């Protein structure tokens, strides 16, 4: 089964989605399951994990509602305030939703580079671990030092790094990112999504060869057993289309064994998120 481990849905609202700036105007539209279903039919995708784009409980409920009405949405990564005193109660209330598989915070948007290491946030992660939810790590490269210390604190928590930690492909920066990803990858409870890469390159002029060194590093560090394919649809549309995003990964891993390819293109997502 081919699973897209990372995509988004939204009803576009200028204020809520202010992160969609002028350079990304192509995605200032609604993107909903009927739109994605057509794309999946054209590209041989069997299911997906819908990931939060807005930091509200309403966002989590919105995604869960869509998942309840669309079988191809196999899992949801929502948002809760992991620093809240009532987190335990909130998670108890969500236990009834089988498709809720994990949570994410937009740490890349936090000014504090050490946000992940704040005591109240780490307390929230310890509660997530108790409830067996996964956590998606969304950061920029300058936050990877904190990520390394963060994952060391929770050896039994399932983590996945979104968008290969958004290296500055457009500017050609590699070494610092690679060094820290190698250290983080030594922790076997951490996986990584091959997603969001073309939007870290130049939207209009990127080539696969520019991205290949970053993909090579991820496969070297996380191996075929801890790497997940993700499209980052519809964000990827600002720099290409779904066929190009999928092809970037499938063509790069084509020389690997069929077992390894199947793991990256779906098996690992099923295992990591416990998809049904």
């Amino acid at each position: 089964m081919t699973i897209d481990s990372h995509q988004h849905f939204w009803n576009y609202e200028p204020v809520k989605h202010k992160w969609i700036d002028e350079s990304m105007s192509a995605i200032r539209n609604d993107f909903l399951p009927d739109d994605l279903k057509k794309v999946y039919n054209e590209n041989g995708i069997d299911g997906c994990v819908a990931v939060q784009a807005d930091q509200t409980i309403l966002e989590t409920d919105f995604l869960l509602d869509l998942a309840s009405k669309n079988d191809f949405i196999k899992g949801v990564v929502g948002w809760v305030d992991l620093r809240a005193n009532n987190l335990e109660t909130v998670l108890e209330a969500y236990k009834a939703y089988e498709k809720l598989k994990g949570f994410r915070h937009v740490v890349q948007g936090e000014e504090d580079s050490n946000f992940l290491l704040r005591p109240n946030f780490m307390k929230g992660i310890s509660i997530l671990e108790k409830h067996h939810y996964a956590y998606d790590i969304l950061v920029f490269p300058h936050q990877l030092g904190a990520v390394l210390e963060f994952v060391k604190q929770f050896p039994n928590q399932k983590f996945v790094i979104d968008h290969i930690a958004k290296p500055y492909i457009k500017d050609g920066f590699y070494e610092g990112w690679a060094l820290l990803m190698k250290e983080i990858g030594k922790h076997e409870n951490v996986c990584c999504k091959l997603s969001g890469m073309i939007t870290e390159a130049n939207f209009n002029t990127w080539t696969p060869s520019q991205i290949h060194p970053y993909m090579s590093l991820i496969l070297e560090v996380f191996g075929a057993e801890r790497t997940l394919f993700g499209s980052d649809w519809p964000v990827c549309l600002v720099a290409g289309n779904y066929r190009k995003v999928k092809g970037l990964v499938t063509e790069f891993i084509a020389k690997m064994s069929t077992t390894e390819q199947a793991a990256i293109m779906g098996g690992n997502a099923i295992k990591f998120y416990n998809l049904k």
Side-chain angles (χ1 to χ4, degrees):
M1 185 175 285
T2 303
I3 300 292
D4 181 345
S5 73
H6 198 107
Q7 55 76 216
H8 307 285
F9 295 115
W10 61 68
N11 288 301
Y12 177 68
E13 298 178 27
V15 175
K16 179 193 287 189
H17 301 108
K18 61 184 178 181
W19 58 272
I20 305 177
D21 61 24
E22 191 61 36
S23 71
M24 305 171 78
S25 60
I27 57 172
R28 286 176 172 170
N29 296 293
D30 296 348
F31 290 95
L32 296 166
D34 283 348
D35 305 308
L36 187 56
K37 195 180 298 183
K38 295 174 186 175
V39 173
Y40 282 173
N41 287 339
E42 294 168 357
N43 289 277
I45 306 293
D46 300 303
C48 66
V49 177
V51 180
Q52 62 84 220
D54 188 41
Q55 301 205 119
T56 63
I57 290 289
L58 288 176
E59 172 83 345
T60 305
D61 294 343
F62 166 67
L63 295 177
L64 288 172
D65 181 60
L66 294 181
S68 72
K69 297 170 181 174
N70 295 274
D71 289 341
F72 78 93
I73 304 174
K74 304 297 184 183
V76 166
V77 173
W79 182 88
V80 291
D81 187 352
L82 292 168
R83 299 160 292 176
N85 292 328
N86 68 337
L87 177 60
E88 191 91 51
T89 302
V90 172
L91 294 182
E92 286 289 343
Y94 275 125
K95 272 191 173 180
Y97 296 89
E98 186 180 2
K99 286 190 174 182
L100 183 58
K101 302 300 182 179
F103 294 93
R104 183 176 83 154
H105 187 90
V106 185
V107 176
Q108 70 173 35
E110 298 290 344
E111 292 184 8
D112 181 2
S113 295
N114 292 316
F115 178 87
L116 288 169
L117 303 177
R118 291 181 177 180
N120 57 356
F121 193 83
M122 291 203 295
K123 180 182 177 182
I125 295 295
S126 69
I127 295 172
L128 276 195
E129 181 180 323
K130 186 170 69 173
H131 287 266
H132 307 292
Y133 285 114
Y135 180 74
D136 274 52
I137 299 173
L138 177 63
V139 293
F140 285 128
H142 73 270
Q143 297 165 312
L144 284 174
V147 172
L148 178 57
E149 296 305 315
F150 177 64
V151 300
K152 285 179 181 178
Q153 305 303 313
F154 301 99
N156 300 310
Q157 168 65 38
K158 291 200 297 185
F159 292 116
V160 62
I161 297 176
D162 291 346
H163 312 327
I164 68 171
K166 310 195 100 175
Y168 307 122
I169 298 172
K170 181 179 178 180
D171 300 309
F173 293 132
Y174 175 86
E175 295 298 339
W177 166 84
L179 182 67
L180 283 164
M181 290 296 277
K182 286 179 181 179
E183 291 302 311
I184 292 165
K186 291 176 182 178
H187 299 269
E188 295 188 359
N189 58 316
V190 184
C191 296
C192 187
K193 293 181 183 180
L194 282 177
S195 63
M197 296 177 290
I198 67 172
T199 46
E200 295 309 311
N202 185 293
F203 290 175
N204 301 311
T205 62
W206 69 270
T207 63
S209 62
Q210 292 171 337
I211 300 173
H212 285 170
Y214 300 87
M215 299 171 71
S216 292
L217 187 281
I218 295 304
L219 288 172
E220 172 193 335
V221 170
F222 294 93
E225 67 279 4
R226 288 191 286 141
T227 301
L228 291 65
F229 161 72
S231 70
D232 200 25
W233 182 93
V235 181
C236 65
L237 301 181
V238 303
N241 57 43
Y242 201 98
R243 178 184 57 79
K244 288 182 179 179
V245 169
K246 183 187 177 189
L248 177 66
V249 176
T250 56
E251 290 165 19
F252 189 76
I253 66 174
K255 293 183 180 179
M256 300 174 75
S257 72
T258 54
T259 300
E260 290 173 322
Q261 291 180 57
I264 292 169
M265 297 305 296
N268 293 339
I270 293 170
K271 181 180 179 182
F272 181 82
Y273 287 116
N274 190 28
L275 306 180
K276 307 297 183 186

